[in-house]
Amino acid sequence: MRRAEGARRDQNTDIPVAHRINPIRRFSSKRLGQLAISSVFISISATVFLFYFIYKPSLIEKAALNDANSIRKESLLGHYPYPEVSADELVMLYPGFKVHKDTLVALKRMQADAYQDGVELVFLSGFRSIDLQREIFYENKSIRNQIAVERSKVSAPPGYSEHSTGYAVDIGDRNMRETDFEVSFELTPAFKWLEKNAAKYHFVLSFPKGNVQKISYEPWHWRYEGTVKALKQFEPANRSVINHSR
């Protein structure tokens, strides 16, 4: 008996290695459940990946387009609505010329620094009430025999003028007064100095050539954006430029 058992053991040891491999194990129901969960997780991950890298950009673009459309709906003949600054926020630079109090220091500094460079800036127009803007828009329109769309290219409708905020200023060259409120102002030393230096004082040219608002080019019209409050006032106009450049 022992000899027979020993013989069987010897026979087993002589089985080739390839035939000693364990047979394939059957998966238990628990293992199959784990595999199913893993498959679901992989599918969800792939879906998230596709959404993030394929669909998300299109949704962002759609949201940006909706924002742009919303801004356009707020505008009137290319101009954006602006509230009239309260009287207690206005200060007088000289008789008949008022600006927002946050603008005064930067305006004076800019004028003084320009003078040091041999350029004399003259301030032509600052704060303008909505009532005054109404007179300008409607009376001048009738005098020039222009419809509102034509007039809006050179003058904002009441309630839509940057001048009502107190942050907008029309600037001229003291030594070339014939260029006041004219496109030819761009040829003056004052304009060339402003082009180079105005940003240092947080002033921005409101209506450059080819502006997206389709307002006539006004090289004399500058607005102050040196505070958070001022930036919020002009956010729609700035956003329209950003959306247009995309």
Side-chain angles (χ1 to χ4, degrees):
M1 185 69 176
R2 290 179 180 175
R3 184 176 179 181
E5 289 175 356
R8 282 199 295 272
R9 282 197 297 271
D10 291 339
Q11 289 173 359
N12 289 336
T13 57
D14 292 336
I15 297 174
V17 174
H19 294 286
R20 293 182 195 171
I21 298 175
N22 293 329
I24 298 175
R25 292 178 296 178
R26 296 180 181 276
F27 288 115
S28 66
S29 59
K30 182 178 180 181
R31 179 61 175 167
L32 288 171
Q34 290 175 340
L35 286 173
I37 292 172
S38 298
S39 299
V40 171
F41 178 77
I42 292 171
S43 298
I44 292 173
S45 299
T47 302
V48 171
F49 178 87
L50 289 172
F51 174 81
Y52 190 84
F53 289 98
I54 297 177
Y55 297 108
K56 187 177 179 182
S58 64
L59 291 177
I60 292 174
E61 291 171 4
K62 184 176 180 181
L65 182 60
N66 288 338
D67 286 344
N69 290 334
S70 176
I71 292 171
R72 280 194 286 271
K73 288 178 182 177
E74 293 174 2
S75 65
L76 177 63
L77 301 176
H79 296 272
Y80 295 106
Y82 296 105
E84 183 172 309
V85 60
S86 60
D88 61 347
E89 291 184 290
L90 290 171
V91 291
M92 187 177 293
L93 183 60
Y94 55 77
F97 188 96
K98 293 181 180 180
V99 291
H100 194 288
K101 61 183 180 181
D102 293 342
T103 305
L104 186 63
V105 173
L107 203 57
K108 284 185 173 180
R109 214 175 101 229
M110 185 168 70
Q111 187 180 45
D113 290 349
Y115 186 78
Q116 291 297 318
D117 291 337
V119 175
E120 292 190 67
L121 302 179
V122 57
F123 303 130
L124 308 173
S125 179
F127 165 72
R128 197 180 298 154
S129 69
I130 291 178
D131 286 340
L132 178 56
Q133 189 66 28
R134 183 176 293 108
E135 292 178 21
I136 292 172
F137 185 79
Y138 288 107
E139 290 186 12
N140 285 2
K141 182 182 70 172
S142 61
I143 292 171
R144 297 188 183 189
N145 193 28
Q146 293 176 319
I147 62 173
V149 173
E150 294 172 333
R151 184 62 190 142
S152 67
K153 292 179 180 179
V154 294
S155 181
Y160 290 79
S161 173
E162 292 184 351
H163 283 284
S164 297
T165 67
Y167 293 120
V169 181
D170 293 328
I171 304 175
D173 190 311
R174 188 175 297 279
N175 298 312
M176 298 181 69
R177 300 304 302 273
E178 70 277 7
T179 65
D180 289 357
F181 300 108
E182 299 290 341
V183 173
S184 58
F185 174 66
E186 69 176 358
L187 303 176
T188 67
F191 178 75
K192 292 176 181 178
W193 189 91
L194 287 168
E195 266 195 315
K196 184 178 179 180
N197 299 285
K200 298 176 186 176
Y201 310 91
H202 308 291
F203 281 92
V204 176
L205 185 62
S206 294
F207 307 116
K209 290 179 179 178
N211 61 84
V212 297
Q213 292 177 242
K214 301 188 184 305
I215 307 302
S216 294
Y217 172 47
E218 296 186 353
W220 62 85
H221 184 115
W222 299 75
R223 67 175 181 244
Y224 179 73
E225 295 185 351
T227 64
V228 171
K229 186 175 181 179
L231 274 176
K232 285 183 177 179
Q233 293 275 304
F234 303 114
E235 191 269 342
N238 285 327
R239 202 191 321 167
S240 67
V241 173
I242 293 171
N243 288 334
H244 181 74
S245 63
R246 285 177 178 171

